[in-house]
Every structure is written in structure tokens, then in C-alpha cells.
Amino acid sequence: MTIQKQIVITGAGLVGSLLAIMLSKRGFKVSVYERRPDMRKERMSAGRSINLALSDRGWKAIRRVGIEEEIRKVAIPMYGRMIHDIKGDTAFYNYGEKDQAIYSVSRGGLNCVLMDLAEKHGAEIFFNERVEDIDLKNAVLTTENTSTKAKTLIQAERIFGADGGFAASRLQLQLKTDRFNYSQSYLDAGYKELTIPAADAGGFRMEKNALHIWPRGQYMLIALPNMDGSFTCTLFFPFEGVPSFASLDTKEKMLRFFNDTFPDAVSLMPDLATLYFENPTSSLVTVRCFPWAFKDKLLLIGDAAHAIVPFFGQGMNCGFEDCTVLDDLMNEEKDWNRIFSKFEHSRKPDADAIAELAVQNFIEMRDLVSKPEFILRKKIESRFHSRYPEKWLPLYSMVTFSEKSYAEALKEGKRQDCVMEKVMSIPGIETKWDSEEVEKIMLEGAERM
Ligand code: FAD
């Protein structure tokens, strides 16, 4: 048993590692306890291919710790959605203005760079150490080594709980404090990862600079590019019913369904049957809780405080923005009680807002993106934005390409919906979408926002 004084972070995932860099750079002695082995040595297969969309809020935090250039080299810009219809025909739609993009980055690759940098700045990361218990009042952690089963007691000055959606640190607040609010809600759909390998001669088998979507109403397949020419595909699909993960239970049924539903994707996935039956089916959860802090001893951050579903590509970006906000608060305040309290009160409305937006965006991605009314609405908004940029920023851009708080984005998005409902109900809007009549309604609507 060892006893030391320090700042402790639970979890060396994306947020824990980034936070370790920020705190170490400020001169704190930081120790991180991570349940998994060191992925830089073990090179887990999952660490290689799974990718995430990084956008402006994430880049801001990355810039702050000085690794923007390094990450840019391994980030693939995706300038828009490539929609694949049931016949295999495709159509491309920009996400924002021409040069605006979200970036596909390898989750494992990014995590490794962040851990390297955290260690370079003096943080120590202890792997195979699962956080088991926290004495909240005294900030003492108990970890168990996953191989030797040896227990260690760690005396911290304060603890940051960055151990993800199923955080042990959060459970401690739930079990040991009064009036801790907690809810988890699962979608009826889950997900499975599949792969489109690189072409035989190397290179990409589909457009590289796009996020590919096969929207099919109640479900969808998406694909993001990797640096090696492959694409990581994710099937978001109901657990039960027809069709569902439960109903596609033989190779024949699954292949028939894929051939009928995603014909152009199947032709690019030689290992489809193996991957479909070998890869796990995972669930999609939203976790809301509050408070996030226990006095000045423990603060939840990242998914530990607010796990969301992935349809706005914002979970990591939101967790990285948490780190930026905390870093700003540490500049303003010296008292940790105030830092923790200001943090949880300023971030909670934003976490709730992005959780709501993320669930909404599932419907948009799996269904609406292929509908002519949706495409027309986007065209009208985009035209109005380019004429009056200070009056109208489309919701996707507010969330992805701006620093506007998620809570404000949600509120403004709802107001925009009201205006657009009026616009879309104009008889013959298909032919009048760029008319003065439309512009007048939007200008009036924008004035009232
Ligand atoms: P995690 O990344 O989960 O890290 C938590 C760490 O804590 C892990 O290393 C874990 O091993 C460790 N840990 C857990 N329990 C313990 C314990 N008891 N003791 C010690 N260590 C422990 N976000 C985006 O911004 N863009 C995207 O495109 C995107 N796509 C996604 C796609 C999918 C399918 C999913 C599921 C999520 C996606 N996300 C995306 C969300 C993103 O993955 C998370 O928001 C992000 O990983 C949160 O980082 P974190 O560090 O808080 O948690």
C-alpha cells in the first residue's frame, strides 16, 4: 500500500488524458489511474480503426495544449455528407461553408498522442488499475490491479472523475451522497462496427473527404475514412423487431438484407459476414446526473458527467470543451470549491442541451437527410445565411463550427424551426425558395430571435 498527495484523474481516455496535460502544465503533480493496459504497448485492434469526428470545440482544446499540427497530419477533413440511396446512387451536401469540415481521427491514435504528451509534462499514468472505491470526504481512492488483484490506497488532494459513461467515480456519488440525481436512458437501437478495407493498390474505395450515410428510415449505416485508406462503418440498427439485430440471425438472412438495403456498401465489404457475426453489438445510452462535484474533492468530467448518443459527433468535443472551460476557470479562480461549483453550474445546461440535440439528430441522419423537403430547407437556410451571416447560423453550424453554447444553440434552433415551418408551408415553395417572399419571412423571423 502506498500513500501520496496529488491530483488524481480516474481514466486515461480522451478527456482524462487531455485534462492530465492541462493540469501538469500548470505545475500540479498528476497521477492517472486507468483500468485498461497501455494501448501504446498492447496496440489493441480497436484502437486502430475506430474513428471519431473532431470539430471546432475539440480543436480549440487541442490547440490549447499545443498539438494541433500533429493531429492535423492524421485528421481527414470531411466537408459534407455523402448520401447513398437504395440504388447505390450518391449525392453530396456540404456541412457548412465550402472550407468548413469535421475531421475523422483515430480514437486510439489521438488517445496515444494525448497520453504521450501528458507523460512528457510530468503526469504519471498507472495502467491496469481499476478504481474500486473512493472515500469522498478524504479524497482517498482504492484501486485494484487487474492482473495481480493487489489493492492500492491513494491519498489525493482532489480527484477528477474521467472514467467514462459507466464511471466508477460517478457511482460513488450515487451510493454515498444525498440528493444525487441520476438517470440513464437507452435507445431501442444499438450499433455494430464493420469495415470497408482499403483498395488493393492502396487508396480509398469511396470519396475520402465525406462522411458517408446510407439513411434508411428507422436505421442507417455510416462510414468515416481512416488514414490507411479503409473506412470504419457503423450500423445503427434496432435491437428487436423486423429488421433488427435479433432478426438477422443467420448469414443468409443478413446477406440478403444487406444486398437489398445497402447494395453499394456490400460490394466493398468482403469480410462483411465475419465482421457482422464476430463484432459486438453495443448499446447507446444518455446519462444525466447532478451534482457533478463533491465539495472541492471530486469533480466529474467528460462522459462520466454526461454521456450522450453519438449522432451529433459531439461526445468527445463536449468533453474537450469541458477541459477548456475548466482551464479558463482555473485562470479566474484560486478556490477549488468555487471552481468546481462554477464548472458544474455553467456546463450542466450545455450538457443537457447537447444530449437532447444528439437524440434529435438520429432522426435527422437516419431518415430526414434523404427527404427532398429536408434538402430544400437546408438550401434555403444556407442561402439566407450567406446573405445575412449575422442574422442566421444553421443549427448544425452553431453546434459544430461555432463557440456558441450548446444551450443557446438548442434554443435558437427551436426558434429557427418555427420560422422554417412557416417558410416550408408556402404553397409552391419548391419554385419560390429563393424569392423575396421567403426572404421577407426569414428576415422577420430572424429579427424576433
Ligand atoms: P472514455 O473515452 O470512455 O474514457 C474513459 C476511460 O476510463 C477509459 O480509458 C476507461 O478504460 C477508463 N475507466 C473506466 N472505468 C474505470 C475504472 N473503474 N477505473 C479506471 N479507469 C476506468 N464523440 C465525438 O466527439 N465525435 C464522434 O464522432 C463520436 N463518435 C462516437 C461513436 C460511437 C459509436 C460512440 C459510442 C461514441 C462516439 N463519440 C463521439 C463519443 C466519444 O467517444 C466520448 O464522448 C468520449 O470518448 C468521452 O471521453 P471520456 O474520456 O470522457 O470517456
Side-chain angles (χ1 to χ4, degrees), residues 80-267:
R81 308 180 170 103
M82 184 69 83
I83 305 297
H84 297 243
D85 75 12
I86 199 120
K87 295 198 286 296
D89 293 333
T90 56
F92 180 81
Y93 303 97
N94 280 311
Y95 275 130
E97 285 157 33
K98 284 250 167 332
D99 55 340
Q100 283 181 320
I102 56 175
Y103 290 78
S104 177
V105 290
S106 144
R107 173 195 284 273
L110 179 57
N111 211 153
C112 291
V113 173
L114 291 171
M115 287 193 286
D116 281 347
L117 195 63
E119 286 177 341
K120 194 176 139 207
H121 285 288
E124 264 190 289
I125 308 177
F126 299 89
F127 294 96
N128 303 307
E129 292 291 334
R130 190 173 60 83
V131 174
E132 220 183 43
D133 185 69
I134 302 177
D135 170 348
L136 294 167
K137 274 193 200 119
N138 300 304
V140 176
L141 271 92
T142 307
T143 62
E144 183 187 74
N145 187 284
T146 53
S147 344
T148 64
K149 306 292 171 209
K151 309 251 188 216
T152 306
L153 280 187
I154 302 122
Q155 172 70 65
E157 265 181 73
R158 66 198 90 258
I159 301 162
F160 289 90
D163 41 343
F166 300 95
S169 56
R170 187 180 64 229
L171 185 63
Q172 296 297 307
L173 288 173
Q174 216 176 327
L175 294 175
K176 296 179 180 170
T177 63
D178 188 26
R179 290 185 294 122
F180 181 75
N181 289 307
Y182 174 78
S183 76
Q184 62 181 30
S185 92
Y186 284 92
L187 296 187
D188 294 337
Y191 70 95
K192 190 184 278 292
E193 264 148 2
L194 303 166
T195 305
I196 292 178
D200 290 341
F204 294 85
R205 289 172 189 240
M206 304 187 292
E207 168 59 48
K208 170 188 175 189
N209 295 116
L211 192 154
H212 294 262
I213 311 179
W214 290 257
R216 297 293 182 264
Q218 292 303 303
Y219 48 89
M220 67 177 174
L221 180 71
I222 67 166
L224 276 74
N226 294 309
M227 290 298 285
D228 64 0
S230 66
F231 286 84
T232 302
C233 306
T234 313
L235 173 67
F236 294 98
F237 205 45
F239 278 110
E240 310 286 343
V242 181
S244 68
F245 284 120
S247 75
L248 301 187
D249 54 354
T250 65
K251 188 173 165 187
E252 291 67 35
K253 285 188 207 167
M254 187 278 293
L255 285 178
R256 196 178 322 124
F257 173 80
F258 265 74
N259 277 315
D260 289 347
T261 317
F262 309 115
D264 57 331
V266 175
S267 66

Side-chain angles (χ1 to χ4, degrees), residues 365-425:
M365 282 181 87
R366 73 182 186 196
D367 196 16
L368 303 183
V369 286
S370 58
K371 298 254 182 327
E373 313 86 77
F374 176 87
I375 295 163
L376 179 60
R377 176 183 161 160
K378 293 282 155 194
K379 200 158 79 168
I380 296 171
E381 283 194 73
S382 166
R383 177 179 182 274
F384 191 70
H385 165 67
S386 61
R387 289 170 67 80
Y388 303 99
E390 71 296 345
K391 291 195 194 293
W392 192 284
L393 188 57
L395 176 61
Y396 188 86
S397 298
M398 279 192 268
V399 170
T400 312
F401 304 125
S402 91
E403 289 189 16
K404 200 179 269 281
S405 76
Y406 290 125
E408 275 178 58
L410 174 67
K411 227 192 282 169
E412 208 162 311
K414 285 183 176 160
R415 287 194 227 117
Q416 289 180 343
D417 279 346
C418 294
V419 179
M420 291 311 293
E421 243 172 66
K422 202 166 163 195
V423 167
M424 297 304 289
S425 66

